[in-house]
PDB file of all heavy atoms in Angstrom:
ATOM      1  N   ASP A 338       4.967  26.330 -13.969  1.00 97.00           N
ATOM      2  CA  ASP A 338       3.931  25.875 -12.979  1.00 97.00           C
ATOM      3  C   ASP A 338       3.459  24.483 -13.366  1.00 97.00           C
ATOM      4  O   ASP A 338       3.436  23.563 -12.520  1.00 97.00           O
ATOM      5  CB  ASP A 338       2.715  26.835 -12.996  1.00 97.00           C
ATOM      6  CG  ASP A 338       2.969  28.129 -12.341  1.00 97.00           C
ATOM      7  OD1 ASP A 338       4.049  28.323 -11.698  1.00 97.00           O
ATOM      8  OD2 ASP A 338       2.065  29.034 -12.401  1.00 97.00           O
ATOM      9  N   ALA A 339       3.128  24.260 -14.656  1.00 96.00           N
ATOM     10  CA  ALA A 339       2.636  22.990 -15.109  1.00 96.00           C
ATOM     11  C   ALA A 339       3.678  21.897 -14.914  1.00 96.00           C
ATOM     12  O   ALA A 339       3.359  20.779 -14.475  1.00 96.00           O
ATOM     13  CB  ALA A 339       2.188  23.085 -16.524  1.00 96.00           C
ATOM     14  N   LYS A 340       4.938  22.248 -15.206  1.00 97.00           N
ATOM     15  CA  LYS A 340       6.048  21.285 -15.021  1.00 97.00           C
ATOM     16  C   LYS A 340       6.185  20.879 -13.585  1.00 97.00           C
ATOM     17  O   LYS A 340       6.336  19.713 -13.202  1.00 97.00           O
ATOM     18  CB  LYS A 340       7.316  21.959 -15.541  1.00 97.00           C
ATOM     19  CG  LYS A 340       8.507  21.029 -15.489  1.00 97.00           C
ATOM     20  CD  LYS A 340       9.737  21.694 -16.206  1.00 97.00           C
ATOM     21  CE  LYS A 340      10.912  20.706 -16.289  1.00 97.00           C
ATOM     22  NZ  LYS A 340      12.148  21.317 -15.694  1.00 97.00           N
ATOM     23  N   PHE A 341       6.003  21.898 -12.665  1.00 98.00           N
ATOM     24  CA  PHE A 341       6.161  21.611 -11.230  1.00 98.00           C
ATOM     25  C   PHE A 341       5.047  20.659 -10.802  1.00 98.00           C
ATOM     26  O   PHE A 341       5.295  19.678 -10.114  1.00 98.00           O
ATOM     27  CB  PHE A 341       6.088  22.939 -10.435  1.00 98.00           C
ATOM     28  CG  PHE A 341       6.034  22.683  -8.948  1.00 98.00           C
ATOM     29  CD1 PHE A 341       7.216  22.344  -8.263  1.00 98.00           C
ATOM     30  CD2 PHE A 341       4.852  22.690  -8.275  1.00 98.00           C
ATOM     31  CE1 PHE A 341       7.118  22.003  -6.905  1.00 98.00           C
ATOM     32  CE2 PHE A 341       4.814  22.446  -6.907  1.00 98.00           C
ATOM     33  CZ  PHE A 341       5.978  22.055  -6.237  1.00 98.00           C
ATOM     34  N   VAL A 342       3.831  20.966 -11.223  1.00 97.00           N
ATOM     35  CA  VAL A 342       2.694  20.131 -10.806  1.00 97.00           C
ATOM     36  C   VAL A 342       2.876  18.687 -11.261  1.00 97.00           C
ATOM     37  O   VAL A 342       2.628  17.709 -10.483  1.00 97.00           O
ATOM     38  CB  VAL A 342       1.370  20.702 -11.316  1.00 97.00           C
ATOM     39  CG1 VAL A 342       0.190  19.786 -11.082  1.00 97.00           C
ATOM     40  CG2 VAL A 342       1.042  22.051 -10.650  1.00 97.00           C
ATOM     41  N   LYS A 343       3.302  18.546 -12.476  1.00 97.00           N
ATOM     42  CA  LYS A 343       3.563  17.210 -13.045  1.00 97.00           C
ATOM     43  C   LYS A 343       4.654  16.450 -12.297  1.00 97.00           C
ATOM     44  O   LYS A 343       4.497  15.319 -11.889  1.00 97.00           O
ATOM     45  CB  LYS A 343       3.946  17.394 -14.549  1.00 97.00           C
ATOM     46  CG  LYS A 343       4.147  16.081 -15.267  1.00 97.00           C
ATOM     47  CD  LYS A 343       4.358  16.344 -16.753  1.00 97.00           C
ATOM     48  CE  LYS A 343       4.702  15.095 -17.557  1.00 97.00           C
ATOM     49  NZ  LYS A 343       6.131  14.740 -17.381  1.00 97.00           N
ATOM     50  N   GLU A 344       5.763  17.113 -12.069  1.00 98.00           N
ATOM     51  CA  GLU A 344       6.900  16.453 -11.393  1.00 98.00           C
ATOM     52  C   GLU A 344       6.592  16.153  -9.933  1.00 98.00           C
ATOM     53  O   GLU A 344       6.983  15.124  -9.360  1.00 98.00           O
ATOM     54  CB  GLU A 344       8.158  17.284 -11.554  1.00 98.00           C
ATOM     55  CG  GLU A 344       8.696  17.251 -12.958  1.00 98.00           C
ATOM     56  CD  GLU A 344       9.967  18.025 -13.189  1.00 98.00           C
ATOM     57  OE1 GLU A 344      10.641  18.430 -12.197  1.00 98.00           O
ATOM     58  OE2 GLU A 344      10.345  18.263 -14.344  1.00 98.00           O
ATOM     59  N   ALA A 345       5.803  17.095  -9.310  1.00 98.00           N
ATOM     60  CA  ALA A 345       5.450  16.871  -7.926  1.00 98.00           C
ATOM     61  C   ALA A 345       4.550  15.613  -7.787  1.00 98.00           C
ATOM     62  O   ALA A 345       4.730  14.786  -6.917  1.00 98.00           O
ATOM     63  CB  ALA A 345       4.685  18.090  -7.405  1.00 98.00           C
ATOM     64  N   LYS A 346       3.676  15.488  -8.764  1.00 97.00           N
ATOM     65  CA  LYS A 346       2.744  14.306  -8.798  1.00 97.00           C
ATOM     66  C   LYS A 346       3.570  13.045  -8.892  1.00 97.00           C
ATOM     67  O   LYS A 346       3.330  12.031  -8.137  1.00 97.00           O
ATOM     68  CB  LYS A 346       1.746  14.429  -9.921  1.00 97.00           C
ATOM     69  CG  LYS A 346       0.635  13.372  -9.945  1.00 97.00           C
ATOM     70  CD  LYS A 346      -0.241  13.592 -11.118  1.00 97.00           C
ATOM     71  CE  LYS A 346      -1.094  12.384 -11.398  1.00 97.00           C
ATOM     72  NZ  LYS A 346      -2.105  12.082 -10.380  1.00 97.00           N
ATOM     73  N   GLU A 347       4.553  13.057  -9.803  1.00 96.00           N
ATOM     74  CA  GLU A 347       5.401  11.858  -9.893  1.00 96.00           C
ATOM     75  C   GLU A 347       6.156  11.543  -8.639  1.00 96.00           C
ATOM     76  O   GLU A 347       6.443  10.384  -8.410  1.00 96.00           O
ATOM     77  CB  GLU A 347       6.390  12.128 -11.118  1.00 96.00           C
ATOM     78  CG  GLU A 347       5.696  11.979 -12.462  1.00 96.00           C
ATOM     79  CD  GLU A 347       6.453  12.634 -13.584  1.00 96.00           C
ATOM     80  OE1 GLU A 347       7.645  13.063 -13.444  1.00 96.00           O
ATOM     81  OE2 GLU A 347       5.889  12.746 -14.676  1.00 96.00           O
ATOM     82  N   ALA A 348       6.384  12.566  -7.870  1.00 97.00           N
ATOM     83  CA  ALA A 348       7.146  12.355  -6.629  1.00 97.00           C
ATOM     84  C   ALA A 348       6.236  12.053  -5.421  1.00 97.00           C
ATOM     85  O   ALA A 348       6.692  11.932  -4.326  1.00 97.00           O
ATOM     86  CB  ALA A 348       8.034  13.570  -6.320  1.00 97.00           C
ATOM     87  N   GLY A 349       4.896  11.952  -5.695  1.00 96.00           N
ATOM     88  CA  GLY A 349       3.996  11.530  -4.600  1.00 96.00           C
ATOM     89  C   GLY A 349       3.309  12.711  -3.894  1.00 96.00           C
ATOM     90  O   GLY A 349       2.715  12.498  -2.827  1.00 96.00           O
ATOM     91  N   PHE A 350       3.353  13.884  -4.524  1.00 98.00           N
ATOM     92  CA  PHE A 350       2.644  15.013  -3.947  1.00 98.00           C
ATOM     93  C   PHE A 350       1.441  15.333  -4.851  1.00 98.00           C
ATOM     94  O   PHE A 350       1.605  15.928  -5.960  1.00 98.00           O
ATOM     95  CB  PHE A 350       3.565  16.267  -3.837  1.00 98.00           C
ATOM     96  CG  PHE A 350       4.829  15.993  -3.101  1.00 98.00           C
ATOM     97  CD1 PHE A 350       6.030  15.768  -3.754  1.00 98.00           C
ATOM     98  CD2 PHE A 350       4.830  16.025  -1.710  1.00 98.00           C
ATOM     99  CE1 PHE A 350       7.207  15.518  -3.067  1.00 98.00           C
ATOM    100  CE2 PHE A 350       5.978  15.734  -0.969  1.00 98.00           C
ATOM    101  CZ  PHE A 350       7.131  15.480  -1.669  1.00 98.00           C
ATOM    102  N   GLU A 351       0.264  14.989  -4.403  1.00 97.00           N
ATOM    103  CA  GLU A 351      -0.900  15.003  -5.279  1.00 97.00           C
ATOM    104  C   GLU A 351      -1.725  16.306  -5.099  1.00 97.00           C
ATOM    105  O   GLU A 351      -1.820  16.881  -4.012  1.00 97.00           O
ATOM    106  CB  GLU A 351      -1.800  13.873  -4.950  1.00 97.00           C
ATOM    107  CG  GLU A 351      -1.327  12.542  -5.453  1.00 97.00           C
ATOM    108  CD  GLU A 351      -1.707  12.214  -6.882  1.00 97.00           C
ATOM    109  OE1 GLU A 351      -2.530  13.000  -7.509  1.00 97.00           O
ATOM    110  OE2 GLU A 351      -1.211  11.218  -7.445  1.00 97.00           O
ATOM    111  N   ASN A 352      -2.400  16.666  -6.179  1.00 97.00           N
ATOM    112  CA  ASN A 352      -3.395  17.729  -6.146  1.00 97.00           C
ATOM    113  C   ASN A 352      -2.903  19.144  -5.755  1.00 97.00           C
ATOM    114  O   ASN A 352      -3.458  19.894  -5.001  1.00 97.00           O
ATOM    115  CB  ASN A 352      -4.529  17.414  -5.150  1.00 97.00           C
ATOM    116  CG  ASN A 352      -5.365  16.236  -5.671  1.00 97.00           C
ATOM    117  OD1 ASN A 352      -5.823  16.217  -6.814  1.00 97.00           O
ATOM    118  ND2 ASN A 352      -5.651  15.252  -4.788  1.00 97.00           N
ATOM    119  N   LEU A 353      -1.747  19.458  -6.378  1.00 98.00           N
ATOM    120  CA  LEU A 353      -1.087  20.779  -6.116  1.00 98.00           C
ATOM    121  C   LEU A 353      -1.477  21.810  -7.140  1.00 98.00           C
ATOM    122  O   LEU A 353      -1.068  23.012  -7.011  1.00 98.00           O
ATOM    123  CB  LEU A 353       0.437  20.646  -6.038  1.00 98.00           C
ATOM    124  CG  LEU A 353       0.914  20.067  -4.739  1.00 98.00           C
ATOM    125  CD1 LEU A 353       2.394  19.621  -4.852  1.00 98.00           C
ATOM    126  CD2 LEU A 353       0.754  21.089  -3.579  1.00 98.00           C
ATOM    127  N   LYS A 354      -2.255  21.435  -8.169  1.00 97.00           N
ATOM    128  CA  LYS A 354      -2.644  22.401  -9.123  1.00 97.00           C
ATOM    129  C   LYS A 354      -3.626  23.421  -8.523  1.00 97.00           C
ATOM    130  O   LYS A 354      -4.511  23.040  -7.765  1.00 97.00           O
ATOM    131  CB  LYS A 354      -3.327  21.636 -10.260  1.00 97.00           C
ATOM    132  CG  LYS A 354      -3.451  22.408 -11.561  1.00 97.00           C
ATOM    133  CD  LYS A 354      -3.895  21.390 -12.673  1.00 97.00           C
ATOM    134  CE  LYS A 354      -3.900  21.988 -14.036  1.00 97.00           C
ATOM    135  NZ  LYS A 354      -4.946  22.946 -14.332  1.00 97.00           N
ATOM    136  N   GLY A 355      -3.482  24.669  -8.907  1.00 94.00           N
ATOM    137  CA  GLY A 355      -4.347  25.729  -8.335  1.00 94.00           C
ATOM    138  C   GLY A 355      -5.770  25.564  -8.857  1.00 94.00           C
ATOM    139  O   GLY A 355      -5.970  24.826  -9.784  1.00 94.00           O
ATOM    140  N   HIS A 356      -6.652  26.300  -8.257  1.00 91.00           N
ATOM    141  CA  HIS A 356      -8.083  26.232  -8.699  1.00 91.00           C
ATOM    142  C   HIS A 356      -8.122  26.635 -10.169  1.00 91.00           C
ATOM    143  O   HIS A 356      -7.411  27.542 -10.643  1.00 91.00           O
ATOM    144  CB  HIS A 356      -8.925  27.204  -7.835  1.00 91.00           C
ATOM    145  CG  HIS A 356     -10.404  27.029  -8.073  1.00 91.00           C
ATOM    146  ND1 HIS A 356     -11.076  27.774  -9.005  1.00 91.00           N
ATOM    147  CD2 HIS A 356     -11.310  26.201  -7.476  1.00 91.00           C
ATOM    148  CE1 HIS A 356     -12.369  27.446  -8.983  1.00 91.00           C
ATOM    149  NE2 HIS A 356     -12.519  26.501  -8.079  1.00 91.00           N
ATOM    150  N   ARG A 357      -9.041  26.016 -10.893  1.00 82.00           N
ATOM    151  CA  ARG A 357      -9.119  26.271 -12.354  1.00 82.00           C
ATOM    152  C   ARG A 357      -9.344  27.736 -12.686  1.00 82.00           C
ATOM    153  O   ARG A 357      -9.030  28.153 -13.751  1.00 82.00           O
ATOM    154  CB  ARG A 357     -10.224  25.341 -13.021  1.00 82.00           C
ATOM    155  CG  ARG A 357     -11.563  25.557 -12.425  1.00 82.00           C
ATOM    156  CD  ARG A 357     -12.585  24.421 -12.753  1.00 82.00           C
ATOM    157  NE  ARG A 357     -13.580  24.274 -11.794  1.00 82.00           N
ATOM    158  CZ  ARG A 357     -14.625  25.025 -11.665  1.00 82.00           C
ATOM    159  NH1 ARG A 357     -14.922  25.929 -12.521  1.00 82.00           N
ATOM    160  NH2 ARG A 357     -15.556  24.799 -10.699  1.00 82.00           N
ATOM    161  N   THR A 358      -9.846  28.532 -11.755  1.00 80.00           N
ATOM    162  CA  THR A 358     -10.120  29.938 -12.052  1.00 80.00           C
ATOM    163  C   THR A 358      -8.889  30.812 -11.782  1.00 80.00           C
ATOM    164  O   THR A 358      -8.872  31.981 -12.212  1.00 80.00           O
ATOM    165  CB  THR A 358     -11.323  30.507 -11.230  1.00 80.00           C
ATOM    166  OG1 THR A 358     -10.953  30.335  -9.852  1.00 80.00           O
ATOM    167  CG2 THR A 358     -12.585  29.805 -11.547  1.00 80.00           C
TER     168      THR A 358
END
Side-chain angles (χ1 to χ4, degrees):
D338 286 353
K340 184 172 185 234
F341 173 77
V342 171
K343 181 171 173 281
E344 290 182 11
K346 186 180 166 70
E347 284 160 9
F350 305 101
E351 286 273 353
N352 292 313
L353 282 166
K354 196 167 187 288
H356 190 269
R357 59 196 152 80
T358 58

